[in-house]
Each structure stands twice: as C-alpha cells, then as structure tokens.
Amino acid sequence: LLVNTTAMNADITSITTPKLFLSLAPGSTNSLAIFGNGANAFPTLLQFFRSRTTGTAGDANAIVVSGDTITSIDFEGADGAVYQVAAQIKAVVDGTPGSADMPGRLDFYTTPDGSGTPVLNLQIKNTGQVLITALKTTGAATGKTVVCVDTATGQLYASTSGVACAN
C-alpha cells in the first residue's frame, strides 16, 4: 500500500520492498497520528510482530532466538545524496524465549558527528539493568566506560571493562 498526498518525491532506494509507504506533502509540519477514541480503558496500540517463519508449511510462528531484533525504529535524515541513520531504537530478544516467556531489551543508538555508523549508548536489559555507555576518544585511557546500576543497592557505578556490568 502506497499512500501519498502529492507526487512521490522521496528517495526510497534504501527501502527493500516496503509493505506500507506514506509520503506526506511538503510543508512546515509533517505528522502521522494514530487516534484511539472510546469510553473505555483500552489503549491505542502500535504493535510489531516477529517470528522466524519462512513461509513453508509447518513453521507458523517459528520461535525467535536470543539476539534477534524484533523491530528497529530508525530516524534518518538526508545528507544530500542518501538517507543516513541519526538514531535508532531496537527491541531485541534478550535471553532464551519459551512458552509465555519472551525476555527482551531496548537498545538506543545515536550516530556520532563525522560518522555514518550508529553506536549503542543506552540499553535496558530484561533484568531491568540499565547500561549507559560513554565513549572516550581522547587522552591516555581511550575506550568505553559503561555506567551501571547495582541491582541489589540501586547505586550507580562505572565499569571500565567497556563491555558489561557485573550484575
């Protein structure tokens, strides 16, 4: 489904077979809104579903595995030639899923100035652990420092290992 208010003027060369493409008219504000009205407590939902189904017989709702990205929301801007990712939010399977069990995490990426590659800066793990990564690029001790929250005490501490927090 392609929806468009004027002639298609967007560069969609980086999109592989879109199922829905919405091109908004040029103007000061472009927006997409989802409204949910009703005299009840039901929320308005935007849902993303993911399985490892290949479309062959017998693999309907094939289970995802740890590390699979369920969805990625990419924020892209035109650099004059193509669209580049400025930031991303990813929902990732964070453990072994099973019946009525889907461990997940949220990963937040930003692209540093002078780069075309997004870098993981914030991660909320299935345990509730929050990892904040700061990349030091100058001085004697270059590398990653991760700000961690001790799950027992709730206190912040820095992990200079650059990969993970202790708990």
Side-chain angles (χ1 to χ4, degrees):
L1 172 66
L2 296 177
V3 180
N4 152 7
T5 58
T6 62
M8 296 284 280
N9 58 1
D11 175 12
I12 59 170
T13 57
S14 65
I15 300 173
T16 308
T17 317
K19 301 298 182 213
L20 170 67
F21 181 81
L22 176 64
S23 176
L24 300 170
S28 60
T29 302
N30 287 317
S31 64
L32 175 63
I34 301 173
F35 291 88
N37 298 315
N40 57 50
F42 299 118
T44 300
L45 297 175
L46 177 60
Q47 295 178 300
F48 300 91
F49 296 89
R50 172 78 166 95
S51 75
R52 286 188 158 244
T53 303
T54 61
T56 59
D59 74 345
N61 291 326
I63 193 167
V64 291
V65 299
S66 186
D68 279 357
T69 299
I70 293 173
T71 196
S72 178
I73 301 172
D74 295 359
F75 303 90
E76 300 187 22
D79 70 358
V82 296
Y83 286 93
Q84 297 289 340
V85 175
Q88 292 176 315
I89 302 172
K90 293 182 180 183
V92 180
V93 180
D94 191 29
T96 304
S99 180
D101 176 30
M102 185 55 59
R105 73 172 189 258
L106 287 175
D107 293 345
F108 294 82
Y109 293 78
T110 58
T111 302
D113 191 16
S115 173
T117 305
V119 175
L120 179 64
N121 287 297
L122 177 82
Q123 185 177 75
I124 305 171
K125 299 179 73 60
N126 74 61
T127 59
Q129 184 180 56
V130 177
L131 307 175
I132 302 170
T133 303
L135 183 60
K136 185 175 182 205
T137 58
T138 60
T142 61
K144 287 186 179 179
T145 298
V146 179
V147 178
C148 306
V149 177
D150 185 309
T151 55
T153 65
Q155 294 181 330
L156 294 174
Y157 68 94
S159 169
T160 55
S161 66
V163 259
C165 296
N167 58 355

